[in-house]
Amino acid sequence: MSKKMILPDVICEVVKSGNRYNALDTDGNKYTSEITWGCRKNAHKGGYLIGRFPSKNGKTGSSWRRCTDKVLAAVNESIPVTGDVIDENVLVDVPTDHSEMLNFIHSSYSLKPRGLVMNELKWKYLVRSAVRGKNIMMTGPSGCGKTMAAKSLVNALDRPDFYFNLGATQDPRSTLIGNVHFNEGTGTFLSEALFVKAISTPNAVILLDELSRAHPDAWNILMTVLDYGQRYLRLDEKENQATIKVAPGVTFVATANIGNEYTSTRVMDKALMDRFTIVEMDVLSEDEEKDLLSYMFPHVNSDTISNVSKIAALTRAESRNNSARIPGGISTRTTVELCGLLYDGFSLAESAEVSIYPQYDNTGGGDSERTFVKQIVQKFCDDGTSDDLFNEEETEVATEA
Ligand SMILES: Nc1ncnc2c1ncn2[C@@H]1O[C@H](COP(=O)(O)OP(=O)(O)OP(=O)(O)O)[C@@H](O)[C@H]1O
Ligand SMILES: [Mg+2]
């Protein structure tokens, strides 16, 4: 065998977008913030690929430089994973100057997209938690903007980002670790999951969407990864050896529906919850809802938008009552969908029929959840299509918060 060659753990192509040189790997992950401008510019101009090379002889740090043809050829051969391939102390670009950090956090509200409604304190807390490398858990009922806020945070930070929807994952091991293969000549191979790469990327922001719906195996795998004292991923529990370190500056942002109306969501383990800083997304008030919908749908009649906001607010207030007749209020996701229908020429009654009513149980006839919601909606339908099932007085009583 020839002398051991140091190989890069990441290879990027530099592409120019606007006046920015972005470094992207083949999966589209961005490494721009790790690499100096000059290095990126030269790679783009010179038309070559650059790689992140760990330092020799266990020294700290890593450096980005040109990948020669020899290096690329070596990388293209399949290399068995040994597990301890990640250098713990790779160079990171986390701002260390406290005043710079303060300034960034406290001016960060301008980075919040206009279309996301989130109060200033919560947004700044979210940004602060991210730049301090905390594990963040966004909580709140369905359709209140958790995923939207998490994605907006990632966009605002300009750091490499990775997205995992754990609610849709049937096989947590292959999503978070990878698949093990056997080969007679070379032994065990692991084709690593994207998650392994994500946690090995310094400064990455990793979204763990719908963590509350994840399989309990996923929670177990994530325990050590999220623990500030451990910060590693165990590749193989049985052999009790191979681990991947979480790179410095990595931030996890999870989302969870936590609330008693979400009985289908598994109750999350207390130990797992303890590993997170909680950022609770607020359900919008009637005025906030109206502002958002008017901003998103400037061509929809403003009175109708007010009515939609009122309907949503009434259902939310009812669902918070001790003796609530409906399990949850109409979400902002639903009001946005409903206004999309209004914009496309459907009446309020028609829009409600297809977007709101199917969410409520129809059993029990006149006492059903659906009848109750219908009765609220119909109070605001003046297009002649509503057949008033209830008189004013009954409706008033039913909608009292
Ligand atoms: N606070 C908000 N600000 C702006 N838009 C919102 C907000 N909340 C919800 N929306 C609208 O509702 C849609 C769904 O929101 P999002 O996917 O973020 O909900 P979620 O809380 O992640 O829900 P789930 O728990 O079901 O995953 C968004 O695309 C957006 O149009
Ligand atoms: Mg979501």
Side-chain angles (χ1 to χ4, degrees):
M1 281 274 281
S2 57
K3 218 169 86 188
K4 198 167 170 248
M5 189 189 284
I6 300 226
L7 297 177
D9 59 351
V10 180
I11 296 179
C12 287
E13 184 187 6
V14 177
V15 291
K16 199 168 180 199
S17 65
N19 57 2
R20 202 174 159 81
Y21 295 102
N22 276 323
L24 302 167
D25 71 6
T26 47
D27 293 322
N29 300 311
K30 234 197 287 174
Y31 290 87
T32 309
S33 61
E34 281 184 39
I35 311 163
T36 62
W37 181 81
C39 175
R40 282 180 276 135
K41 182 178 167 216
N42 290 341
H44 180 72
K45 294 252 146 89
Y48 55 80
L49 298 173
I50 49 176
R52 187 174 65 189
F53 292 80
S55 296
K56 289 184 203 165
N57 308 328
K59 284 203 196 119
T60 61
S62 65
S63 58
W64 285 88
R65 47 181 198 270
R66 180 180 186 153
C67 290
T68 60
D69 290 347
K70 229 163 125 185
V71 167
L72 292 173
V75 169
N76 283 334
E77 288 169 19
S78 69
I79 301 157
V81 170
T82 53
D84 54 356
V85 288
I86 305 305
D87 187 340
E88 189 180 355
N89 298 304
V90 283
L91 287 180
V92 290
D93 210 10
V94 178
T96 45
D97 185 314
H98 191 226
S99 62
E100 204 179 288
M101 182 93 96
L102 283 182
N103 188 26
F104 180 74
I105 294 168
H106 293 282
S107 60
S108 65
Y109 202 53
S110 60
L111 299 173
K112 181 190 75 63
R114 169 75 175 82
L116 169 70
V117 181
M118 188 169 180
N119 83 39
E120 184 165 354
L121 174 61
K122 292 238 164 129
W123 173 263
K124 289 201 289 200
Y125 181 50
L126 184 62
V127 170
R128 183 266 173 190
S129 303
V131 297
R132 285 285 182 207
K134 305 281 181 199
N135 304 324
I136 301 163
M137 167 81 78
M138 315 281 305
T139 65
S142 185
C144 70
K146 299 182 293 295
T147 301
M148 190 179 184
K151 288 186 169 170
S152 305
L153 172 73
V154 167
N155 290 338
L157 291 179
D158 194 21
R159 283 163 54 174
D161 60 280
F162 297 86
Y163 178 86
F164 300 91
N165 187 333
L166 297 175
T169 298
Q170 299 299 325
D171 182 357
R173 290 197 70 79
S174 68
T175 304
L176 297 173
I177 297 174
N179 293 304
V180 177
H181 305 286
F182 296 98
N183 179 312
E184 277 201 10
T186 39
T188 305
F189 285 78
L190 179 79
S191 54
E192 288 178 355
L194 179 63
F195 185 72
V196 174
K197 181 193 225 169
I199 64 165
S200 313
T201 305
N203 288 333
V205 183
I206 302 176
L207 299 193
L208 304 173
D209 208 5
E210 305 202 14
L211 183 61
S212 52
R213 286 181 210 275
H215 193 282
D217 280 356
W219 300 342
N220 286 334
I221 293 168
L222 290 170
M223 284 292 190
T224 55
V225 176
L226 295 166
D227 192 301
Y228 294 117
Q230 302 186 68
R231 291 301 241 195
Y232 65 78
L233 173 71
R234 186 171 292 293
L235 294 182
D236 192 335
E237 274 152 48
K238 284 181 213 106
E239 287 173 30
N240 200 26
Q241 43 173 336
T243 57
I244 297 278
K245 291 254 182 226
V246 177
V250 170
T251 303
F252 294 92
V253 186
T255 72
N257 286 329
I258 295 174
N260 43 16
E261 71 262 45
Y262 298 99
T263 42
S264 67
T265 305
R266 295 183 176 101
V267 177
M268 280 188 43
D269 190 278
K270 171 91 170 58
L272 187 64
M273 282 301 288
D274 277 353
R275 284 159 165 76
F276 286 99
T277 296
I278 307 286
V279 178
E280 194 179 29
M281 281 300 286
D282 296 318
V283 173
L284 304 195
S285 68
E286 186 182 324
D287 285 346
E288 287 170 331
E289 193 87 20
K290 199 166 75 186
D291 288 348
L292 172 68
L293 297 175
S294 312
Y295 167 74
M296 291 182 77
F297 300 95
H299 301 296
V300 173
N301 178 288
S302 60
D303 290 339
T304 315
I305 283 190
S306 292
N307 287 342
V308 172
S309 313
K310 284 194 181 107
I311 292 167
L314 285 167
T315 59
R316 290 169 196 169
E318 168 66 19
S319 71
R320 284 194 293 267
N321 274 347
N322 283 341
S323 54
R325 276 164 284 185
I326 46 174
I330 293 168
S331 70
T332 301
R333 175 187 282 126
T334 301
T335 62
V336 168
E337 272 163 20
L338 192 145
C339 286
L341 289 163
L342 295 172
Y343 178 65
D344 286 339
F346 292 90
S347 69
L348 179 54
E350 289 168 336
S351 307
E353 176 98 34
V354 290
S355 67
I356 297 179
Y357 302 157
Q359 297 181 27
Y360 292 94
D361 191 359
N362 199 18
T363 53
D367 291 331
S368 71
E369 292 170 8
R370 192 175 296 183
T371 305
F372 180 78
V373 174
K374 266 188 186 174
Q375 148 187 3
I376 296 178
V377 173
Q378 284 172 354
K379 191 169 151 49
F380 296 93
C381 293
D382 56 0
D383 57 3
T385 59
S386 70
D387 40 353
D388 250 328
L389 290 172
F390 305 90
N391 64 35
E392 282 277 289
E393 227 170 80
E394 279 171 331
T395 311
E396 293 280 301
V397 173
T399 56
E400 260 169 28

